[in-house]
Amino acid sequence: MRLSDLRGRHVAVWGAGREGRAAVTAIAAHGPAGLVAVDDSANFLTLPWDGPLAEAAPLVTGEAGLARLTAAEVVVRSPGVPNTHPWMVELRRRDITVTQGSALWMADHAERTVGVTGSKGKSTTSSLISHLLTAMDRPNVFGGNIGVPLLDLPEADLYVLELSSYQCADLTDSPRVAVVTALFPEHLDAHGGEREYYRDKLNLLAHGPHAVVVNGADPRLALELGDRAAVRAGLPDTTHVASGPDGTPWFHLRDNPLFPRGVLPLVGRHNEGNLCVALAVLDALGVDVAGRKDSLAVAVAGFQGLAHRLTEISDPSGLTFVDDTLATSPYAAMHAIDAYEGRPLTVIVGGTDRGLDYTPLRDHLAEREITVIGIPDSGPRIVEALAGLPGVRTEIAEDLVDAVGLSRKLTPAGGVVLLSPAAPSYGRFRNFEHRSEVFAQAVADTAR
């Protein structure tokens, strides 16, 4: 379904945030027979609904919204509306068409798009792809799940998009190059279960992409893909890391050494995998990766890591404090812990308790020497899951500030204090940025 298909139809936009506002503006320009906006959330007044928006679509709030949704021919939901919402159940029962602004946009732009999703690594990988394409004289517009609704993007010859599982769920067109970086259970409450989450995530690949590029080292992703044709980055027949001409690790394209691993300023094996995926995407788009390896090396060296992802904070004590607040699952925290293997490590964990299974984290730490500090709400449950591991020292802190102070006492000189919470930030913080601010301020305050 395209935006032009909404002409003359009765449409309801569900959600009044950035996505909903972008959808109303775009749909109104295509002449629907009727257009209404619906917001069932308690915070609908946080953004004013007035001026051209109100003229294009009246805003209906609260329980009255269901009647307007069920009266529509097409419902355009914002990504924040979960599949498990009871109104979604009712819309399906009535066989009402439900789509998203992302799907409407993709129907018109798929041929010009690289779409990147994944349970971990999609932000860094999509940023790398965009950065490297620009360096290769392939200008592009970067957007998606970074806060810019697709329907607000300017016209361009090439797009690189970071796409969440929510944005992928309603797609009926796949991007020209569909990319998946990792797969593990996430957002199960919104999708309805693990199988449903994988289905929605991998819907990115379900509608005829020209090329599929995946992280070939991810076992769950390999299991879900089966024998599907795909470029599996990280394996010898495509981009991978192996011993180079000087005996140190180098990035390769098949048999061709490209540049040393040390060129990439990001720590962690998972970031090696992210760059392998990005380079494989460039290869799939026809960039002469081997021929332009020197220019690529310069571009890789100049890549700035994304905020809140293994962001190191300088400290006069000699300790390294690391902000990895976007690690909201045990699997993401495991990658972060691996990035600092070989150094004394204290990890601060805990946040909103979504009932996640922390057994994988326990298994991952079974042979480690590490200190883990739990903070509310889920921290005590994570610490309990690690009980009995011989090399794991555990402590409970009252809050994040208390945990930072405690970490200074417990972490040996030259060690690392890693905020990798394995849980979301909402509840005790406004958002993940607020959690990062509190962490950084606590590091500064306790250094005095």
Side-chain angles (χ1 to χ4, degrees):
M1 177 176 286
R2 289 174 159 79
L3 278 167
S4 57
D5 296 328
L6 301 181
R7 183 178 299 278
R9 306 183 75 176
H10 291 274
V11 182
V13 172
W14 186 359
R18 285 178 297 193
E19 293 279 349
R21 298 161 82 87
V24 164
T25 300
I27 294 167
H30 285 78
L35 181 60
V36 63
V38 171
D39 196 340
D40 63 305
S41 72
N43 298 316
F44 66 91
L45 290 178
T46 56
L47 290 172
W49 192 271
D50 52 21
L53 280 171
E55 293 174 11
L59 179 63
V60 179
T61 60
E63 292 299 318
L66 178 58
R68 303 306 296 266
L69 293 177
T70 55
E73 296 174 77
V74 179
V75 172
V76 180
R77 63 167 172 157
S78 294
V81 175
N83 270 329
T84 52
H85 195 294
W87 290 5
M88 282 291 292
V89 176
E90 180 63 16
L91 292 172
R92 291 191 198 100
R93 188 185 72 80
R94 297 184 182 222
D95 202 27
I96 293 172
T97 299
V98 179
T99 187
Q100 288 185 51
S102 301
L104 295 170
W105 183 93
M106 190 68 75
D108 286 321
H109 298 86
E111 284 293 314
R112 292 176 275 160
T113 300
V114 176
V116 183
T117 196
S119 305
K120 175 69 175 174
K122 62 182 179 293
S123 299
T124 298
T125 302
S126 56
S127 298
L128 270 167
I129 293 168
S130 177
H131 174 75
L132 296 179
L133 282 171
T134 300
M136 295 294 101
D137 307 312
R138 299 284 296 273
N140 60 90
V141 168
F142 182 43
N145 191 45
I146 60 168
V148 181
L150 271 59
L151 289 172
D152 277 346
L153 294 176
E155 280 300 311
D157 293 331
L158 181 62
Y159 299 90
V160 179
L161 304 181
E162 176 196 339
L163 298 170
S164 69
S165 54
Y166 311 124
Q167 289 171 306
C168 291
D170 291 333
L171 294 179
T172 53
D173 300 86
S174 290
R176 182 179 186 85
V177 181
V179 184
V180 187
T181 59
L183 206 59
F184 53 74
E186 263 278 53
H187 310 301
L188 304 189
D189 51 343
H191 291 273
E194 186 170 341
R195 296 308 316 162
E196 291 80 5
Y197 169 70
Y198 295 158
R199 176 202 65 204
D200 290 347
K201 200 77 164 166
L202 296 179
N203 189 47
L204 182 74
L205 316 179
H207 309 285
H210 289 252
V212 173
V213 179
V214 301
N215 175 7
D218 186 281
R220 186 172 280 104
L221 183 50
L223 182 64
E224 292 295 324
L225 289 175
D227 59 0
R228 180 185 182 123
V231 177
R232 299 172 190 255
L235 302 185
D237 62 343
T238 177
T239 49
H240 64 286
V241 176
S243 181
D246 60 1
T248 65
W250 278 51
F251 288 96
H252 289 67
L253 174 59
R254 294 178 281 278
D255 295 332
N256 302 306
L258 300 176
F259 44 79
R261 164 53 177 101
V263 168
L264 178 65
L266 307 182
V267 300
R269 286 192 295 271
H270 65 292
N271 279 319
E272 294 176 9
N274 291 337
L275 180 54
C276 284
V277 171
L279 292 170
V281 169
L282 265 65
D283 187 48
L285 288 171
V287 173
D288 184 2
V289 172
R292 303 196 65 183
K293 60 184 180 182
D294 292 340
S295 296
L296 281 168
V298 172
V300 169
F303 180 74
Q304 299 295 315
L306 303 180
H308 318 299
R309 293 170 177 83
L310 295 179
T311 302
E312 296 188 357
I313 302 171
S314 61
D315 188 76
S317 69
L319 295 175
T320 301
F321 287 84
V322 182
D323 173 13
D324 193 42
T325 192
L326 283 176
T328 58
S329 75
Y331 298 91
M334 286 152 53
H335 283 303
I337 289 166
D338 285 348
Y340 291 95
E341 189 174 9
R343 296 182 64 182
L345 182 61
T346 297
V347 184
I348 300 172
V349 299
T352 305
D353 195 340
R354 296 178 295 170
L356 295 177
D357 178 12
Y358 287 99
T359 303
L361 181 61
R362 177 186 173 86
D363 294 342
H364 195 70
L365 299 182
E367 306 297 328
R368 306 263 179 152
E369 295 278 342
I370 192 171
T371 298
V372 178
I373 301 175
I375 61 174
D377 294 317
S378 60
R381 192 166 68 82
I382 298 173
V383 164
E384 183 180 357
L386 303 178
L389 293 179
V392 179
R393 174 179 180 173
T394 58
E395 300 283 348
I396 298 294
E398 293 181 4
D399 53 28
L400 181 53
V401 174
D402 183 41
V404 171
L406 184 58
S407 72
R408 286 193 179 275
K409 301 175 183 177
L410 300 178
T411 310
V416 176
V417 178
L418 171 65
L419 172 63
S420 195
S425 58
Y426 43 80
R428 293 177 180 263
F429 302 94
R430 293 189 301 273
N431 47 41
F432 69 86
E433 292 98 341
H434 183 212
R435 180 160 64 182
S436 288
E437 291 168 8
V438 171
F439 178 64
Q441 188 62 53
V443 171
D445 290 345
T446 55
R448 295 170 186 166

